[in-house]
Amino acid sequence: MESSFSSPSPSSSGRFKLLDRLELQQFQDKYVIKSVDYPNRGFSIGRRDGNIEPFTDETISGTPSKTSTIYGVAGTIRLIAGTYILVITSRKEAGDFLGFPVFRITSMEFLPCNEALRFSTSQEKRDEAYFLNLLKTVVSTPGLYYSYETDITLNLQRRYKLSPGWMAKPIWKQADPRFVWNKNLLEELIECKLDEFIIPLMQGSFGAAQLSLKDTTATITLVSRRCTRRLGTRMWRRGANLEGDTANFIETEQLFELEGFKCSLLQIRGSIPLLWEQIVDLSYKPSLRIINHEQTSKVVERHFHDLHQRYGDTVAVDLTDKHGDEGKLSSAYAAEMQKLPNVRYVSFDFHHICGNSNFGNLQILYDQISEEFQNQGYFIIDAEGEVLGEQKGIIRSNCIDCLDRTNVTQSYLAQKSLTAQMQRIGVLASNECISMFSEDYGKFRTLWAEQGDEISLEYAGTYALKGDLVRYGRQTLGGIIKDGMSALSRYYLNNFQDGVRQDALDLISGRYSMNRNGPSPFQLNGFESVSGTGNDTLLKRNSET
């Protein structure tokens, strides 16, 4: 049967390319998905049992009840009573990544293959109804990006170090699994060897702008890749798990391209890598609780060992307050970091030093880490593809949410690096910097502000706070009002909606075991977590939720 599926083939350039124009045909007993450009390439999925079958002439006997255009298949998920297939129903081009078009998903739909539901018990039907509600939450997931022609989960430096033939492999094989949002949904498609249809989706942000410096045209691209290992919403997923994976871990890459030169700067953010939580209790600012665990030191060690393996020497910049609950958490973090001789820990009380408007005071932080930051460097290749320099380490920034203060700080460091890159290429003199060119500097700041908004929407459900500091370098009255509205919205979402969003994320991430013969998750008075992390809060749900 495997040989009946159409075998993928790289394009004439030796690069693998996904099928990008698809037709969805709905029959009474099955869905048929096939390529518009290559009508003999496709597959069917049974509406009764969800089984995927190879494409044959018999597959399309009869007339479909409905035919529509779709732009990709994002995966399948099996629930209690059947299978659902996730398809991309609309998209918008977001720009280019190293010359390849990148698209942002604007709508998705789950197609049910669950006719067996009518034979289910009443309890199974209630369970399935709740899971279907979670799937409705999934289809509204913001910030999902993909490309038909290249993998966008790998940064430029990693891409360059891979073997010459890697781009001929199916795109899902090229991808970094840490940043594939739908990796658990792709398993069945992978088993059926539907490589030309398998789209790895990256959640995060993607933006690009054209700069016109001294009559030269340059491109700056900002890509943030959100890790799936501890995926979740703001209050419901904090800190680290026992493996050392942290909540809201994001790799951000700033690409600068000019006259054949390509430069890449990487920065990372992630929740404080201790075992801690913040239980939602209707208070405006719930108390932080550090979980005392014999494995805490090992968790921190595992986290930074993984970072060193991937990025090199790490400087950990902690932007949290030094009083109250934040201060206690920061002190516990600092105490653990003293046990790691190969990682430099820098504590910088952002609120105390920068306040609401003293953005320039980040120079104080920069002075503390400038030597390491400059030694870490950035990745750069010339027009002939020769490597002129590599990034040898990374700055890891965090505040409590790793959103607002972190974004302001990362944009400041990115500006410093961009100026150094421009000076090295020769577009700026040694006494010039990007901030001297107001139009281009404005585009740079807008990119970073929009990135901050997008990843904040994904984790907290609102736009970023302190966006004015990134966009304008100061706080404005409009920004203060916007921040106030966002803070109130976060309070509402944390208490009344994010729990359901968290359940939806855990469902598609494979954190719940589906067993039709087992007890209902509602009978258990909560979903059974299979993450094995030991410190995740049990998400309690009942049928009234």
Side-chain angles (χ1 to χ4, degrees):
M1 180 178 292
E2 290 178 356
S3 60
S4 300
F5 286 101
S6 56
S7 58
S9 57
S11 64
S12 57
S13 64
R15 187 179 71 248
F16 190 95
K17 188 176 185 298
L18 293 167
L19 297 171
D20 57 346
R21 296 203 305 155
L22 303 178
E23 187 174 84
L24 169 66
Q25 297 179 339
Q26 300 188 32
F27 294 85
Q28 185 175 358
D29 61 336
K30 61 181 170 289
Y31 300 104
V32 172
I33 294 172
K34 64 177 185 174
S35 167
V36 173
D37 299 318
Y38 307 96
N40 63 328
R41 297 183 184 179
F43 64 96
S44 69
I45 181 166
R47 297 179 75 158
R48 177 180 292 274
D49 52 19
N51 288 340
I52 294 174
E53 297 290 342
F55 190 88
T56 64
D57 291 338
E58 289 75 23
T59 303
I60 54 173
S61 59
T63 303
S65 60
K66 182 181 179 181
T67 299
S68 55
T69 298
I70 62 173
Y71 299 95
V73 181
T76 64
I77 185 169
R78 289 189 179 268
L79 300 183
I80 293 172
T83 294
Y84 298 80
I85 183 167
L86 181 60
V87 296
I88 301 168
T89 51
S90 66
R91 69 187 186 190
K92 181 178 182 181
E93 190 163 350
D96 285 356
F97 180 68
L98 301 170
F100 303 107
V102 173
F103 297 89
R104 177 171 58 86
I105 292 177
T106 50
S107 67
M108 299 186 290
E109 182 181 353
F110 274 104
L111 305 175
C113 306
N114 66 337
E115 288 189 7
L117 183 61
R118 57 184 172 174
F119 305 111
S120 300
T121 66
S122 58
Q123 182 62 56
E124 287 171 346
K125 288 178 180 178
R126 285 196 294 271
D127 294 351
E128 191 85 352
Y130 184 72
F131 288 131
L132 279 174
N133 187 53
L134 297 185
L135 294 187
K136 290 177 183 177
T137 302
V138 170
V139 297
S140 61
T141 299
L144 296 177
Y145 295 88
Y146 68 95
S147 174
Y148 297 105
E149 299 185 50
T150 193
D151 167 58
I152 60 173
T153 66
L154 293 182
N155 59 66
L156 182 61
Q157 183 162 311
R158 281 195 64 192
R159 289 166 68 95
Y160 206 82
K161 289 187 173 184
L162 292 170
S163 59
W166 75 276
M167 289 187 76
K169 293 182 178 181
I171 288 179
W172 70 267
K173 288 187 177 180
Q174 301 175 24
D176 184 336
R178 293 181 303 157
F179 303 128
V180 179
W181 174 85
N182 58 330
K183 66 178 180 179
N184 288 290
L185 304 181
L186 296 177
E187 291 177 355
E188 198 161 7
L189 300 179
I190 291 171
E191 286 177 9
C192 293
K193 302 187 183 303
L194 294 170
D195 291 341
E196 288 181 305
F197 295 89
I198 298 173
I199 298 180
L201 302 180
M202 179 199 79
Q203 189 184 35
S205 73
F206 183 94
Q210 298 293 317
L211 308 183
S212 301
L213 283 160
K214 299 183 177 180
D215 300 322
T216 62
T217 301
T219 302
I220 182 170
T221 306
L222 195 60
V223 187
S224 283
R225 306 174 175 102
R226 197 166 182 223
C227 184
T228 61
R229 288 180 172 177
R230 192 160 166 75
L231 200 59
T233 57
R234 179 170 167 252
M235 291 289 186
W236 296 82
R237 193 66 88 232
R238 293 296 210 185
N241 59 22
L242 291 180
E243 287 75 41
D245 307 314
T246 60
N248 207 28
F249 184 89
I250 296 170
E251 175 190 277
T252 297
E253 179 176 23
Q254 179 177 279
L255 286 165
F256 177 65
E257 300 172 73
L258 172 68
E259 296 177 347
F261 287 91
K262 294 182 176 69
C263 303
S264 164
L265 173 73
L266 294 177
Q267 296 186 72
I268 52 176
R269 70 179 76 194
S271 192
I272 289 177
L274 304 178
L275 305 176
W276 63 280
E277 61 187 0
Q278 195 166 13
I279 303 298
V280 176
D281 59 2
L282 294 181
S283 62
Y284 179 72
K285 195 172 183 180
S287 298
L288 306 177
R289 186 175 79 88
I290 301 171
I291 299 170
N292 294 319
H293 196 287
E294 61 183 8
Q295 287 283 312
T296 293
S297 295
K298 284 291 184 183
V299 166
V300 179
E301 184 181 333
R302 287 171 190 140
H303 178 75
F304 282 99
H305 175 74
D306 182 61
L307 296 187
H308 186 270
Q309 294 289 103
R310 295 180 185 279
Y311 301 106
D313 292 340
T314 305
V315 176
V317 175
D318 180 13
L319 303 167
T320 54
D321 296 347
K322 300 301 169 268
H323 60 272
D325 281 353
E326 281 195 26
K328 294 175 184 175
L329 185 58
S330 181
S331 296
Y333 184 24
E336 290 297 334
M337 294 304 290
Q338 289 180 355
K339 304 173 186 177
L340 297 180
N342 298 322
V343 182
R344 186 181 174 205
Y345 169 80
V346 178
S347 178
F348 183 81
D349 190 333
F350 185 99
H351 283 150
H352 177 70
I353 299 172
C354 296
N356 289 324
S357 58
N358 296 320
F359 183 44
N361 283 356
L362 278 170
Q363 182 68 39
I364 298 170
L365 170 64
Y366 185 74
D367 289 341
Q368 295 181 55
I369 64 172
S370 59
E371 184 176 351
E372 287 98 335
F373 184 60
Q374 291 167 16
N375 287 338
Q376 288 175 359
Y378 47 85
F379 184 71
I380 177 171
I381 56 175
D382 62 17
E384 285 71 44
E386 182 182 350
V387 177
L388 304 181
E390 296 186 8
Q391 184 169 343
K392 300 182 289 291
I394 198 110
I395 304 293
R396 182 205 191 277
S397 304
N398 75 268
C399 43
I400 288 297
D401 300 327
C402 304
L403 293 176
D404 312 318
R405 288 169 277 182
T406 297
N407 207 56
V408 173
T409 302
Q410 287 195 341
S411 68
Y412 189 87
L413 296 176
Q415 173 192 335
K416 294 284 189 181
S417 183
L418 182 60
T419 292
Q421 294 164 24
M422 290 177 168
Q423 290 173 348
R424 181 169 183 175
I425 294 172
V427 70
L428 291 185
S430 59
N431 61 342
E432 292 178 319
C433 58
I434 180 65
S435 60
M436 294 178 178
F437 301 85
S438 57
E439 184 177 348
D440 291 317
Y441 187 40
K443 292 178 180 178
F444 164 85
R445 295 199 293 194
T446 297
L447 268 183
W448 272 93
E450 290 176 347
Q451 180 248 194
D453 280 340
E454 192 159 19
I455 60 178
S456 180
L457 281 167
E458 292 158 16
Y459 189 48
T462 73
Y463 293 115
L465 308 183
K466 299 181 176 64
D468 275 4
L469 292 181
V470 178
R471 200 180 297 267
Y472 308 115
R474 66 185 190 282
Q475 192 100 54
T476 65
L477 177 60
I480 293 172
I481 295 172
K482 181 181 175 183
D483 284 359
M485 296 293 289
S486 291
L488 289 174
S489 295
R490 285 184 182 182
Y491 169 78
Y492 172 81
L493 293 169
N494 294 339
N495 284 282
F496 303 109
Q497 289 191 7
D498 281 356
V500 175
R501 278 210 305 150
Q502 184 66 57
D503 280 352
L505 291 171
D506 286 344
L507 178 64
I508 63 157
S509 299
R511 293 174 62 85
Y512 300 140
S513 56
M514 286 291 170
N515 184 357
R516 187 167 187 174
N517 298 319
S520 161
F522 307 113
Q523 293 169 336
L524 292 171
N525 193 30
F527 291 131
E528 194 73 32
S529 174
V530 294
S531 62
T533 58
N535 71 311
D536 288 333
T537 302
L538 185 65
L539 304 186
K540 295 193 175 179
R541 292 283 172 270
N542 55 46
S543 53
E544 283 81 45
T545 302

